[in-house]
Amino acid sequence: MMAMVNLSLPAPAKSPSRPPPKLSSQSSVPLSVNRSVNFEPLRHRLIKHLDAGHLHKAISTLDVMASHNAHQDLVTYSLLLKACIRSRDFQLGKLVHCHLTESKLELDSVLFNSLISLYSKAGDWTKAREIFESMGNKRDLVSWSAMISCFANNKMSFEAILTFLYMLDNGFLPNEYCFTAVIRACSTSEFFPIGEIILGFLVKTGYLDFDTNVGCALIDMFVKGNSDLESAFKVFDKMPDRNVVAWTLMITRCTQLSYPSGAIELFVDMVLGGYMPDRFTLSGIISACTELESESLSLGKQLHSWVIRSGFASDVCIGCSLVDMYAKCTIDGSLDDSRRVFDRMENHNVMSWTAIITGYVQCGGRDMEAIELFCKMIEGPVPPNHFTFSSVLKACGNLSDSRAGEQFYAHAVKHGFASDDYVGNSLISMYAKSGRMDDAQKAFESLFEKNLDSYNTVVDAYAKNLDSEGAFELFHEISDFGVEVNAFTFTSLLSGASSIGAIGKGEQIHARLLKSGFQSNQCICNALISMYARCGHIEAAFQVFNEMGDRNVITWTSMITGFAKHGFAARALEIFHEMLKAGIRPNEITYIAVLSACSHAGLVSEGWEIFKSMHKEHGIAPRMEHYACMVDLLGRSGLLREAIEFINKMPCTPDALVWRTFLGACRVHHDKELGEHSAKMILQQGPHDTAAHILLSNLYASSGQWEDVARIRKNMKERNLIKEAGCSWIEVDNKIHRFHVADTSHPQVQEIYDKLDEMALKIKGLGYVPNTDFVLHELEEEQKEQFVFQHSEKIAVAFGLITTSRPKPIRVFKNLRVCGDCHTAIKYISMATGREIVLRDSNRFHHIKNGTCSCNDYW
């Protein structure tokens, strides 16, 4: 039983010093002892002020009476305390407590309970418990209920549950308020099992059948404690008297558990049932629109119209949801509608500022505008919160501007967010995106408290920086500390494995997540599809896809992308049409994947048809990436004149991506004139575009124009433009082995070059003739032949031949496009050795077997 202690009340407030009152000539008796003074008018005035809602005036009247040693009765003090609690003016409530102490009145249970409630809502659970323990036999059911609620509200679930059990031991039967409070305490994964036991007790008492508050608490317990929406619906359906609060809660929880269609259905049922949505309902249902995969913007606009008709247009909470909805549901990437809603809001709070700043960050390519908005915000009266700082740090990371990020972090520290997880994790991510992994690691190590989100952030940072070893080391550290990993941890690790083609590590992660029970998690399954596809095992990716019960647009798009990258255009188009039949609306990324499949297979007519259907059938305005795909499709097929005509007719100004794609096609088809034109257009937009210089140089080199090659390389040197070095790698026994051109740094270098010499002799006997056109330097023919056979991808294949055995395919990865001679040589090597070789370059996969490639020599 809780220890009983004496009530420790606040010290009496000191009355302000004032001059002694002037006495009339008719009286020589001090006012303080004048028994004839009547304080009844002051009492009436105090009650009148309370009735009118003038709390401060009521307290002033109480001060006047106290200065003359006159005090109110218990009923008036009770009314004063309740008024302070209702207005959430806890300081005034504590002042009333001081006056109550001075009065020397013996408190009843009503006043004790009001004091518990006052300190509970003020966040001072220690004082609330002190008062509760001092009550002795004056505790009633309200006292117990208030104390359980105090602990639950202050996230002290264990203490709340313990107090509930003590109450039962003391012979009190819980009412609906006790049940509501203790169920709230069980709304965590840790205490959910206890909540289920209390539910059994609750069912026997019958409160579930008639009390709405208890029903709402149970819905929250199932959703927050166990992510169990099905059981939450059962409780909701059992509630006989649903009010707007219950409907709104259920709508909100559906959205939070990624079931937006359920939220929409509930909203329709609510309206048809005659319930009038309030500002919270409308805010919740607008948020649900952002999670829908189709028709989200159309429905969002209808709800916006409803908001205006309902008179909620100026509501800040709804305004924030609308800003967020328009930002996330934009079809063409524009934030104009979101910004218009924001600009028309009469009043802004921290949520509206954060919503629009986050919208610009998530939109892509609008990070500078996000930073400008943040700077405008901090000049005004609304201070940023930890979410705002988190978003602006992400913007700095996207811009690789760590200097600005450090300035904003210093600002966050001044605002007291130095120990905040969101801010700390965003700082780690900012450093990682800026290429400063050492500083990211230091930021991680300096966190006040490392939690799973912190580990996930730095694991993801290592994965995105292609340091899978660092990511896996941290993963093992998480396991050593006993921290339970979640879906994000696994998706980050899978991303790290796929980025470098480490299929061995990817398979290990797959086995680990199966043991952890994540095999049906949609996000993880999507990551598995991407991992297997990017690591060259497309059939394993398709198996994961087929075994998935719940597929979203990301699932379908990942599979289409996988087949496209592997050169299986027919299968990619087949999956695309299955997706449409399943009623899944494709997004911008889906169309990029499908157009890419058509491009790799030279399906010009199919590509045109799909390109035109984007806007016609799904209302998706083509972005620059879609135009680039069409240019690639036409260019790869040798239709250079059609491609340049298409570019000239674009409704927007072609960017460097479009021209760079066209320049690549000009190089493949040796069209110097159009190549020079496209290079000129690129360099007008970006004089320091390294890729444009390299592609033009290669175009000249393939035509033997070495003076032009020298001129471009000199220009690059003067501009300090550095070409990315070609690199190939292969995973053997869970270890990555990297090779550069003519590499001699590997411990098995002698074996590798012996195997290369052996292969050269064998494949020349089969008819291979080195194509020295791919040597982009002016050398003697013999030197060119030697140089071309020391390309990094050939070295990696040779290493694979001496370290792996049949029937396992040799999987090689390259950071640049594979050269034509290497492609031809590897086809001959597959014939000579009988081995299947899977090669991933910067554009696609090449499945090479028995002398043929899945790309049909078209890449």
Side-chain angles (χ1 to χ4, degrees), residues 310-590:
S310 303
F312 290 116
S314 60
D315 185 84
V316 177
C317 184
I318 292 177
C320 293
S321 297
L322 285 169
V323 169
D324 187 55
M325 184 273 293
Y326 279 115
K328 290 180 178 176
C329 298
T330 175
I331 291 176
D332 58 0
S334 170
L335 281 173
D336 292 346
D337 289 334
S338 182
R339 186 61 183 267
R340 269 194 287 272
V341 173
F342 177 79
D343 290 339
R344 288 174 183 172
M345 290 174 68
E346 295 177 7
N347 299 303
H348 289 294
N349 61 9
V350 67
M351 293 195 317
S352 62
W353 278 105
T354 303
I356 190 66
I357 290 168
T358 304
Y360 276 107
V361 174
Q362 293 176 343
C363 180
R366 308 290 293 273
D367 300 288
M368 187 53 70
E369 289 162 279
I371 291 173
E372 289 169 0
L373 271 169
F374 179 81
C375 292
K376 186 178 178 181
M377 175 188 182
I378 59 178
E379 291 172 357
V382 180
N385 64 10
H386 53 305
F387 293 116
T388 328
F389 279 114
S390 176
S391 289
V392 78
L393 286 171
K394 286 176 185 174
C396 294
N398 293 340
L399 294 169
S400 297
D401 190 349
S402 56
R403 185 177 178 183
E406 286 172 335
Q407 291 177 356
F408 290 131
Y409 179 69
H411 203 64
V413 171
K414 289 179 183 177
H415 277 72
F417 296 117
S419 59
D420 184 84
D421 289 342
Y422 286 99
V423 176
N425 293 340
S426 296
L427 182 69
I428 295 167
S429 181
M430 185 272 294
Y431 277 130
K433 288 181 179 179
S434 301
R436 295 171 57 178
M437 276 308 299
D438 288 343
D439 289 315
Q441 182 67 38
K442 288 176 185 175
F444 171 70
E445 291 169 355
S446 65
L447 288 173
F448 284 82
E449 183 179 346
K450 296 182 181 71
N451 55 23
L452 182 57
D453 289 336
S454 312
Y455 277 105
N456 282 345
T457 301
V458 77
V459 165
D460 191 53
Y462 276 115
K464 284 184 168 61
N465 278 272
L466 307 186
D467 185 356
S468 63
E469 294 298 330
F472 278 91
E473 282 177 19
L474 269 170
F475 176 65
H476 295 311
E477 185 179 320
I478 296 171
S479 304
D480 292 342
F481 277 106
V483 178
E484 189 175 344
V485 296
N486 62 9
F488 187 83
T489 318
F490 283 117
T491 53
S492 295
L493 289 167
L494 289 168
S495 173
S498 64
S499 63
I500 59 171
I503 193 168
K505 283 186 167 59
E507 288 171 337
Q508 287 179 4
I509 301 163
H510 193 173
R512 179 68 179 269
L513 66 88
L514 289 174
K515 291 178 181 177
S516 302
F518 284 105
Q519 62 269 25
S520 60
N521 182 280
Q522 190 182 74
C523 291
I524 287 181
C525 287
N526 292 342
L528 278 169
I529 292 171
S530 180
M531 184 275 293
Y532 278 120
R534 292 183 68 191
C535 288
H537 202 337
I538 190 65
E539 294 307 327
F542 191 51
Q543 183 179 342
V544 174
F545 175 81
N546 280 331
E547 291 174 356
M548 283 181 69
D550 183 23
R551 301 169 184 158
N552 62 5
V553 66
I554 298 172
T555 314
W556 291 92
T557 301
S558 298
M559 199 65 247
I560 294 167
T561 302
F563 280 134
K565 290 289 185 184
H566 283 263
F568 304 130
R571 295 178 75 178
L573 291 173
E574 183 184 341
I575 293 291
F576 176 66
H577 292 303
E578 282 183 25
M579 173 186 179
L580 297 178
K581 287 179 183 177
I584 304 296
R585 181 179 180 272
N587 60 19
E588 295 91 339
I589 310 300
T590 315

Side-chain angles (χ1 to χ4, degrees), residues 574-638:
E574 183 184 341
I575 293 291
F576 176 66
H577 292 303
E578 282 183 25
M579 173 186 179
L580 297 178
K581 287 179 183 177
I584 304 296
R585 181 179 180 272
N587 60 19
E588 295 91 339
I589 310 300
T590 315
Y591 273 106
I592 291 172
V594 178
L595 289 172
S596 176
C598 294
S599 176
H600 286 308
L603 304 175
V604 178
S605 59
E606 291 88 343
W608 270 117
E609 185 181 337
I610 289 165
F611 180 78
K612 291 173 181 176
S613 73
M614 281 179 60
H615 190 267
K616 185 179 178 181
E617 295 182 16
H618 296 108
I620 299 175
R623 292 186 181 183
M624 206 61 73
E625 295 91 337
H626 302 106
Y627 289 113
C629 283
M630 287 305 298
V631 171
D632 189 49
L633 172 61
L634 296 170
R636 283 175 184 267
S637 302

Side-chain angles (χ1 to χ4, degrees), residues 677-691:
H677 173 67
S678 54
K680 179 182 175 182
M681 300 306 294
I682 297 170
L683 297 175
Q684 278 182 1
Q685 297 182 26
H688 296 278
D689 192 305
T690 306

Side-chain angles (χ1 to χ4, degrees), residues 665-701:
C666 293
R667 187 191 68 81
V668 171
H669 296 288
H670 307 290
D671 194 318
K672 188 181 74 167
E673 181 186 348
L674 287 176
E676 287 176 334
H677 173 67
S678 54
K680 179 182 175 182
M681 300 306 294
I682 297 170
L683 297 175
Q684 278 182 1
Q685 297 182 26
H688 296 278
D689 192 305
T690 306
H693 285 84
I694 293 168
L695 284 169
L696 187 58
S697 172
N698 292 351
L699 177 61
Y700 286 139

Side-chain angles (χ1 to χ4, degrees), residues 23-28:
L23 303 178
S24 66
S25 57
Q26 297 176 352
S27 176
S28 60

Side-chain angles (χ1 to χ4, degrees), residues 98-347:
C98 289
H99 286 303
L100 189 56
T101 305
E102 291 177 355
S103 72
K104 307 297 183 184
L105 294 170
E106 184 179 350
L107 307 190
D108 58 13
S109 59
V110 175
L111 270 169
F112 274 122
N113 295 340
S114 293
L115 287 170
I116 293 170
S117 181
L118 169 73
Y119 286 102
S120 168
K121 293 185 177 180
D124 190 351
W125 62 268
T126 307
K127 188 68 178 177
R129 181 166 66 179
E130 188 180 306
I131 293 168
F132 175 78
E133 291 178 341
S134 72
M135 290 178 68
N137 59 10
K138 289 185 179 180
R139 292 185 198 138
D140 57 15
L141 191 56
V142 177
S143 315
W144 287 99
S145 176
M147 203 61 233
I148 297 166
S149 184
C150 171
F151 287 132
N153 291 341
N154 284 280
K155 298 181 180 179
M156 301 170 68
S157 298
F158 179 76
E159 288 79 0
I161 295 166
L162 204 60
T163 305
F164 180 80
L165 297 175
Y166 284 155
M167 179 190 74
L168 298 178
D169 284 345
N170 278 267
F172 288 91
L173 288 176
N175 60 12
E176 61 269 33
Y177 302 107
C178 296
F179 276 123
T180 300
V182 75
I183 291 168
R184 263 202 331 272
C186 295
S187 297
T188 64
S189 57
E190 183 181 0
F191 295 103
F192 176 76
I194 297 175
E196 289 184 300
I197 296 170
I198 291 172
L199 173 60
F201 182 28
L202 175 67
V203 170
K204 291 179 182 179
T205 63
Y207 280 113
L208 177 60
D209 294 328
F210 71 85
D211 191 85
T212 306
N213 290 332
V214 173
C216 288
L218 281 170
I219 289 170
D220 254 0
M221 182 187 80
F222 281 114
V223 172
K224 292 180 179 179
N226 202 40
S227 299
D228 184 358
L229 203 53
E230 184 180 349
S231 296
F233 264 112
K234 287 180 181 177
V235 172
F236 181 74
D237 292 338
K238 196 174 178 64
M239 291 167 64
D241 183 25
R242 303 174 195 151
N243 55 17
V244 174
V245 174
W247 283 99
T248 302
L249 176 68
M250 201 65 216
I251 288 168
T252 304
R253 297 301 177 247
C254 281
T255 304
Q256 290 173 347
L257 286 188
S258 302
Y259 185 39
S261 58
I264 303 297
E265 290 172 11
L266 279 168
F267 179 75
V268 173
D269 290 344
M270 174 186 178
V271 174
L272 292 176
Y275 295 92
M276 183 59 66
D278 61 13
R279 55 196 286 261
F280 301 108
T281 319
L282 290 169
S283 178
I285 199 64
I286 290 168
S287 296
C289 289
T290 65
E291 304 297 326
L292 290 173
E293 291 184 353
S294 61
E295 304 302 325
S296 55
L297 185 61
S298 173
L299 182 58
K301 286 182 175 179
Q302 292 178 49
L303 289 167
H304 191 177
S305 176
W306 186 319
V307 165
I308 295 169
R309 293 198 308 270
S310 303
F312 290 116
S314 60
D315 185 84
V316 177
C317 184
I318 292 177
C320 293
S321 297
L322 285 169
V323 169
D324 187 55
M325 184 273 293
Y326 279 115
K328 290 180 178 176
C329 298
T330 175
I331 291 176
D332 58 0
S334 170
L335 281 173
D336 292 346
D337 289 334
S338 182
R339 186 61 183 267
R340 269 194 287 272
V341 173
F342 177 79
D343 290 339
R344 288 174 183 172
M345 290 174 68
E346 295 177 7
N347 299 303

